[in-house]
Amino acid sequence: MYISDIVSAAIFPANADPRVAKLQGMGLFVIGYLARPIGGVLIGRYGDIKGRKPVLLLSIIVTACSLLAMAFLPTYAQWGLLRLPYLYC
């Protein structure tokens, strides 16, 4: 629960209801937990066809690329002009 507070504070607006911010932060973790079995089914099928070595390489590349993309994502405070005006209503 503690890490969801940190994640929601960095990604979502600070003026939101704390309960909603906590649900949004926990929702990000839920999406990650739901994506794992789906990826396992897809990559597992590919592993049955091509073998272990290509699947290991594919999973390492996908993980590295997604972590690199997350590292370069701006926080909510850094968005500047990209903030959507309807979020302030």
Side-chain angles (χ1 to χ4, degrees):
M1 295 281 218
Y2 176 71
I3 195 74
S4 68
D5 294 334
I6 294 171
V7 169
S8 65
I11 296 176
F12 299 114
N15 57 358
D17 184 18
R19 292 175 292 184
V20 173
K22 185 177 287 283
L23 285 174
Q24 288 173 332
M26 292 175 71
L28 291 174
F29 290 109
V30 168
I31 290 170
Y33 285 124
L34 290 178
R36 286 180 185 167
I38 294 169
V41 168
L42 295 175
I43 292 179
R45 177 68 180 145
Y46 183 72
D48 288 340
I49 296 169
K50 296 290 184 179
R52 292 181 184 170
K53 188 174 181 179
V55 169
L56 177 64
L57 183 62
L58 176 69
S59 65
I60 290 172
I61 289 172
V62 168
T63 302
C65 289
S66 64
L67 288 174
L68 185 66
M70 284 191 302
F72 289 113
L73 283 176
T75 63
Y76 184 79
Q78 295 171 338
W79 280 11
L81 295 176
L82 295 176
R83 292 185 189 165
L84 300 174
Y86 64 85
L87 291 176
Y88 296 107
C89 296

